[in-house]
Amino acid sequence: MKWRVVQDQHELARTAAKMLLDALDEDPQIVLGLPTGGTPAGMYAQTVGECRVARHCFELATTFNLDEYVGIARDDPASYCSYMRTHLFDHVDIAPERIHVPDGLATSVRQQHPALSLDEALELECVKYEEAIQRAGSLQLTFLGIGRNGHIGFNEPGTPFDSRTRVVQLAESTRKANARYFPGREVPTRAITMGIGTILDSAAIILLASGEGKAEAIRRLSHDEPHPDFPASALLRHHDVTVIVDQAAAKFR
Ligand code: F6R
């Protein structure tokens, strides 16, 4: 695991965006795994700024998002699909057919198989998501954030390291942390997430962490042995992981 400690969230955003843009330069047809949430927002803003100048950054790239809430429509402002459009996809030259975000309503699966219950359709949605990643030739570079409890994607503590894309129950602490995205509404209790095994198949992984709230998780990532109680520790088993942390998140390292 390679570590880069940067000054603050601004330097984190610049550093991560440069790594993303360098990877796109090196292989314009790259297959990317992408996160949402507060941490990568600066990276996306920086990337969009650069791509306005360079223009063809994402033309041939393929993207797979890590996760999406169950029961939330794609065009709901709180969906991760909307997040990605707002922060990245609407501002770069990516081809819509090469964007992949799990559908928390499994809409097209339910249209194709009207007899399926929602849960059965979601299960099939997850299988199809894994298949789409395989068809694209598997992930080459995946960016991750980290939850305070060590989750990556929405793989909460206790997740087996060989898990694949599936529907999961969100931890109460995760629902609380994300309540800010659901003003006046209940935070969904379930999500679709790539599994830890899916993430570990990525050729390279870059994990981003910013702010004191992540300091304890970063301490555990630097000191703990791999254990499912702390999902991010699965990354210790991967040969090409870079962790970029700002000084606040690196406080207890
Ligand atoms: C989101 C995701 C989550 C977040 C994590 C940290 O797509 O996969 O694992 O990365 O919950 O979220 P923030 O960055 O909002 O602290």
Side-chain angles (χ1 to χ4, degrees):
M1 191 169 270
K2 287 169 276 192
W3 288 82
R4 280 187 74 169
V5 181
V6 297
Q7 189 69 27
D8 54 21
Q9 58 174 335
H10 305 295
E11 197 185 342
L12 182 95
R14 284 195 299 274
T15 306
K18 183 169 182 334
M19 291 173 90
L20 172 56
L21 290 161
D22 284 352
L24 283 158
D25 261 356
E26 200 174 304
D27 180 2
Q29 299 192 44
I30 195 166
V31 181
L32 294 165
L34 295 178
T36 56
T39 313
M43 170 180 83
Y44 292 136
Q46 194 75 28
T47 302
V48 165
E50 295 289 329
C51 287
R52 284 224 171 92
V53 181
R55 299 208 171 270
H56 294 307
C57 302
F58 283 86
E59 200 180 11
L60 303 171
T62 298
T63 63
F64 287 90
N65 266 83
L66 291 167
D67 39 24
E68 179 60 283
Y69 295 106
V70 162
I72 299 292
R74 285 191 187 283
D75 61 355
D76 187 306
S79 75
Y80 280 166
C81 187
S82 296
Y83 172 104
M84 288 307 296
R85 291 193 59 177
T86 309
H87 286 85
L88 184 70
F89 297 149
D90 282 356
H91 313 289
V92 295
D93 58 341
I94 189 159
E97 65 275 15
R98 284 201 284 269
I99 294 173
H100 304 84
V101 183
D103 181 355
L105 286 174
T107 311
S108 66
V109 171
R110 282 157 77 205
Q111 277 161 4
Q112 282 162 27
H113 307 276
L116 293 184
S117 68
L118 174 61
D119 280 6
E120 287 166 341
L122 288 168
E123 217 172 283
L124 190 51
E125 170 79 15
C126 295
V127 170
K128 282 173 173 275
Y129 204 68
E130 279 284 332
E131 284 171 358
I133 295 173
Q134 299 313 322
R135 260 201 314 280
S138 113
L139 301 170
Q140 286 165 261
L141 175 62
T142 298
F143 286 84
L144 301 173
I146 183 170
R148 288 177 187 229
N149 64 1
H151 72 218
I152 48 174
F154 275 138
N155 295 286
E156 302 284 18
T159 303
F161 287 173
D162 61 356
S163 52
R164 312 303 302 188
T165 302
R166 70 209 184 286
V167 174
V168 294
Q169 205 72 30
L170 295 172
E172 273 315 302
S173 60
T174 301
R175 295 183 66 226
K176 263 200 199 115
N178 290 350
R180 65 190 191 278
Y181 297 112
F182 293 87
R185 300 161 66 184
E186 280 288 300
V187 181
T189 54
R190 296 191 297 163
I192 292 177
T193 183
M194 273 185 204
I196 293 181
T198 321
I199 292 169
L200 290 178
D201 282 349
S202 181
I205 296 172
I206 297 175
L207 182 141
L208 311 175
S210 168
E212 254 188 72
K214 301 293 169 67
E216 176 56 19
I218 290 305
R219 186 195 65 73
R220 290 191 68 178
L221 185 60
S222 18
H223 295 287
D224 284 12
E225 294 294 314
H227 195 286
D229 281 353
F230 189 69
S233 66
L235 301 175
L236 295 163
R237 297 212 172 138
H238 193 282
H239 64 283
D240 189 357
V241 177
T242 304
V243 182
I244 313 177
V245 279
D246 64 12
Q247 280 181 354
K251 190 169 142 184
F252 303 138
R253 240 193 103 215

